[in-house]
Amino acid sequence: MTAAQADSLVAASATVTGATGEEASVRFLEELRARVATFRDEAPSRDRERRYPFDEVEQLRNIKFWALNVPVEFGGLGLDRRTLIQAIIAVSSVDGSLGQLPQNHFATVERLLLSGSPEQREFYLRELGSGAIFGNATAEPGERRPGEAHTTVVERDGRLYLSGRKVYATGSLFGDFIAVQARNEAGGQETVVVRPDDQGVVIHDDWDSFGQRTTGSGSAEFDDVEVQPIQLLSRSSDPATTYRISALSQLIHAAIDTGLAEGALYEALALARRVHGGRGSGAAEFRDDVLGVAHLGELRIATTAARRLVESAARRLDSLGPDTALSAVIDVFYEVVQAKVLSTRTALSVTTDLFDVGGSSSTKPAFGLDRYWRDARTHTLHDAVRWKPYSLGKWLIDEEVADAWSLARPLLPLADLENAADDPVAFYGSAR
């Protein structure tokens, strides 16, 4: 299937939800927010006791959250990327671990929508429309780039076999499928879709971090797992498609951080309504602590700015099509980069500053308010945000484009990128 056909199908799906597509989005988000609000009370104890949110995942499945961007004709809701991003913010504002689980799921759905073969789309999108969930197995020990991955898919006696080891396999404990990044014998990149119970697949529950404690981001091993050609999603040779997929993946990360900031702001406001003014303010109640109230306003300004930039980037992603010039795609990609920078800074500052509002008593473990900062600090380390302003500046000055995997080095001149279709590794996870 061509990129034009894929975009046409996505557009048609939005039409199926009707001229009232916006109404469908509003209805879904209202139902989602009501559902996730019921998760809030248990979130601190789930985090503290490291209890996995299996029930919450199923509740989300029941309202088709996992199929929200799957075309209607395959059983999904056919909603747009802006709705997806708003949904991720809503879930993350209540539970940063639960908000992290869908990141690679929806990134893989986007791969299928934009570059999957007709057979792959028919099979996997129908599975997704019925409620299937993708787990992930991408990262390798030592931060190997995709172009130098040790996980491989090889042919022996006419059969294909997957072997390798992954870390940070977020969502694999919950997934019906696992999307495994690998290299083929020619050095090309494949996403190999396997099932957790396939022979040779072992998922280890060995994730141990102070934040995002219930994402199940442990390690995974694949020992001569036999696969069929339909299970191999090859990396697109079209730079525009690759940067669109990467942009949505990174924007989901930004939405997670924005949600964490909004969750922390919610808690800060609740504290402000019941705590006393800061020492030295002369105020018996926080509402009369002038500097404290102003600081609360600053937290709202920061979270609003992050949300607006994330939503703007999502709208611009929705506007892209198969005929969009690569330079325009890259410009949207760099709006996502900006959203990633701002959401990172906002999540870290707001999740810290909520304690300036609450004071010493708000640090009691029973309240579990530290989970917002722990989740934000853990998640924002996913990739080095300090390189993103530099890569943005290089795009503005020299039209040099960041690698679609790292969002930083290596950089390629736009003119070279336009001629790079024969070597996808050159612009996604290059070994250089």
Side-chain angles (χ1 to χ4, degrees):
M1 179 172 288
T2 66
Q5 290 171 320
D7 279 302
S8 175
L9 181 57
V10 174
S13 172
T15 304
V16 173
T17 55
T20 59
E22 181 66 26
E23 295 176 8
S25 294
V26 169
R27 286 196 303 271
F28 170 76
L29 290 170
E30 287 177 347
E31 182 177 15
L32 175 68
R33 287 172 182 137
R35 186 66 59 96
V36 300
T38 67
F39 300 164
R40 187 182 298 276
D41 289 344
E42 290 293 314
S45 62
R46 277 198 308 274
D47 169 77
R48 188 166 51 249
E49 300 164 12
R50 198 168 174 269
R51 284 188 285 111
Y52 287 126
F54 289 112
D55 180 61
E56 289 75 13
V57 166
E58 288 305 311
Q59 290 190 53
L60 292 177
R61 198 193 307 257
N62 291 340
I63 63 171
K64 284 191 171 290
F65 168 82
W66 304 97
L68 74 87
N69 64 338
V70 173
V72 171
E73 69 175 83
F74 294 105
L77 297 180
L79 301 176
D80 59 16
R81 294 167 185 84
R82 183 170 65 93
T83 305
L84 166 60
I85 291 306
Q86 291 174 319
I88 296 294
I89 292 173
V91 176
S92 301
S93 71
V94 171
D95 186 335
S97 288
L98 189 58
Q100 173 69 36
L101 290 177
Q103 193 274 326
N104 287 287
H105 167 86
F106 286 118
T108 304
V109 175
E110 187 81 341
R111 289 275 311 276
L112 284 165
L113 289 172
L114 294 185
S115 63
S117 70
E119 295 78 15
Q120 289 168 334
R121 293 165 59 82
E122 175 67 28
F123 178 76
Y124 288 112
L125 290 178
R126 289 205 182 280
E127 290 285 320
L128 291 161
S130 298
I133 298 172
F134 278 121
N136 139 78
T138 298
E140 295 199 358
E143 186 64 1
R144 297 189 193 103
R145 305 171 68 84
E148 54 190 14
H150 287 189
T151 300
T152 57
V153 56
V154 300
E155 182 178 348
R156 291 200 307 270
D157 301 323
R159 296 182 177 183
L160 297 171
Y161 296 92
L162 171 72
S163 294
R165 179 173 180 268
K166 297 291 186 176
V167 294
Y168 307 138
T170 299
S172 292
L173 290 174
F174 303 86
D176 301 288
F177 297 97
I178 304 173
V180 187
Q181 190 159 269
R183 284 191 304 128
N184 59 34
E185 291 176 286
Q189 298 173 22
E190 310 278 1
T191 294
V192 186
V193 181
V194 301
R195 292 184 183 271
D197 57 358
D198 284 347
Q199 185 173 349
V201 176
V202 179
I203 308 300
H204 297 287
D205 184 10
D206 54 3
W207 169 242
D208 183 19
S209 172
F210 66 57
Q212 293 196 309
R213 288 166 48 79
T214 60
T215 57
S217 301
S219 59
E221 295 181 72
F222 307 93
D223 184 13
D224 271 351
V225 181
E226 186 173 355
V227 297
Q228 302 302 317
I230 195 174
Q231 295 173 248
L232 272 59
L233 306 179
S234 298
R235 176 68 52 191
S236 174
S237 61
D238 173 31
T241 298
T242 294
Y243 277 89
R244 288 175 65 182
I245 295 168
S246 175
L248 181 66
S249 179
Q250 284 289 327
L251 191 58
I252 295 171
H253 282 301
I256 294 166
D257 294 333
T258 300
L260 285 166
E262 290 194 354
L265 177 61
Y266 172 92
E267 302 287 2
L269 182 56
L271 288 168
R273 288 172 171 153
R274 67 175 188 263
V275 301
H276 58 72
R279 182 178 296 178
S281 67
E285 297 183 1
F286 184 88
R287 69 179 66 250
D288 298 319
D289 181 339
V290 177
L291 295 182
V293 171
H295 190 49
L296 187 65
E298 293 287 354
L299 300 185
R300 177 57 183 267
I301 291 169
T303 56
T304 299
R307 173 182 273 272
R308 294 294 178 263
L309 185 50
V310 167
E311 290 177 335
S312 172
R315 283 193 294 270
R316 293 191 67 194
L317 274 176
D318 278 325
S319 74
L320 300 178
D323 299 324
T324 303
L326 178 59
S327 60
V329 171
I330 299 301
D331 196 58
V332 175
F333 171 80
Y334 271 109
E335 183 158 328
V336 172
V337 169
Q338 294 171 71
K340 186 69 162 58
V341 173
L342 182 59
S343 63
T344 293
R345 293 172 177 171
T346 301
L348 292 175
S349 63
V350 177
T351 58
T352 298
D353 289 359
L354 82 89
F355 297 104
D356 289 333
V357 175
S360 298
S361 63
S362 65
T363 66
K364 292 179 179 179
F367 295 148
L369 299 180
D370 59 311
R371 66 188 174 92
Y372 293 99
W373 178 83
R374 288 186 288 104
D375 286 349
R377 180 65 282 182
T378 300
H379 181 252
T380 55
L381 296 173
H382 179 272
D383 46 272
V385 76
R386 63 183 176 271
W387 277 97
K388 292 174 177 55
Y390 167 79
S391 70
L392 173 61
K394 291 293 286 183
W395 166 245
L396 295 173
I397 295 174
D398 298 324
E399 284 199 330
E400 290 191 0
V401 184
D403 180 85
W405 175 75
S406 70
L407 275 70
R409 290 179 171 175
L411 305 174
L412 279 179
L414 178 63
D416 290 356
L417 186 61
E418 291 171 332
N419 298 317
D422 293 334
D423 185 13
V425 175
F427 53 85
Y428 188 89
S430 170
R432 291 183 296 167

